[in-house]
Amino acid sequence: MVIETQSPKETFNVGKKLGEHAIPGQVFTLTGDLGVGKTVFTQGLAKGLGIEETVNSPTFTIVQEYDGGRLPFYHFDVYRIGDAEEMEEIGFDDYILGDGVSLIEWADLIREILPEKRTEILIEKDLEQGFDYRRITIHEPDQS
């Protein structure tokens, strides 16, 4: 599925809608260049889960946990990760195999340890379409 947005608010709302429909154990992977709106999208997803606290990118802590919504939310930012083994040290499997919802920014950096069943999200910008234009591609796992 491809969704085009024209503002940060629209990008937020796409994330919010996904959060509203997220299920326990769901894993979202999020990729895109710096400045495309990954954090705005993530804030929307958290809002859709009912999380009221401010959500920012956990750049220096790798994972930030939020428990105030209808499901626990685990927000990973692996931009500065050295290798996938570092993820094991923080208990990555415990997070993604649990009952919460996980969102992993820069997921392509740890592709080899990602679960097979995941919702992949790619956010891209196209300046020819306008400064705030975003193309959000969502690839859902096969439900078989």
Side-chain angles (χ1 to χ4, degrees), residues 16-77:
K16 183 178 177 191
K17 187 164 187 151
L18 282 177
E20 289 169 347
H21 294 95
I23 59 173
Q26 189 161 10
V27 176
F28 294 93
T29 61
L30 184 55
T31 55
D33 291 335
L34 285 169
V36 296
K38 291 186 298 294
T39 300
V40 168
F41 179 91
T42 301
Q43 290 167 337
L45 192 133
K47 187 69 162 181
L49 287 168
I51 293 166
E52 297 298 328
E53 113 183 58
T54 302
V55 172
N56 291 308
S57 201
T59 303
F60 297 104
T61 58
I62 301 176
V63 64
Q64 183 68 45
E65 299 179 36
Y66 301 91
D67 293 318
R70 66 180 178 83
L71 294 169
F73 178 49
Y74 310 121
H75 179 200
F76 294 86
D77 183 331

Side-chain angles (χ1 to χ4, degrees), residues 6-26:
Q6 302 294 333
S7 70
K9 182 175 182 174
E10 288 181 14
T11 299
F12 178 94
N13 286 335
V14 172
K16 183 178 177 191
K17 187 164 187 151
L18 282 177
E20 289 169 347
H21 294 95
I23 59 173
Q26 189 161 10

Side-chain angles (χ1 to χ4, degrees), residues 114-127:
L114 293 174
E116 195 171 307
K117 285 203 171 204
R118 61 186 183 261
T119 302
E120 297 180 339
I121 301 160
L122 170 64
I123 303 178
E124 302 169 289
K125 56 183 167 180
D126 180 349
L127 294 177

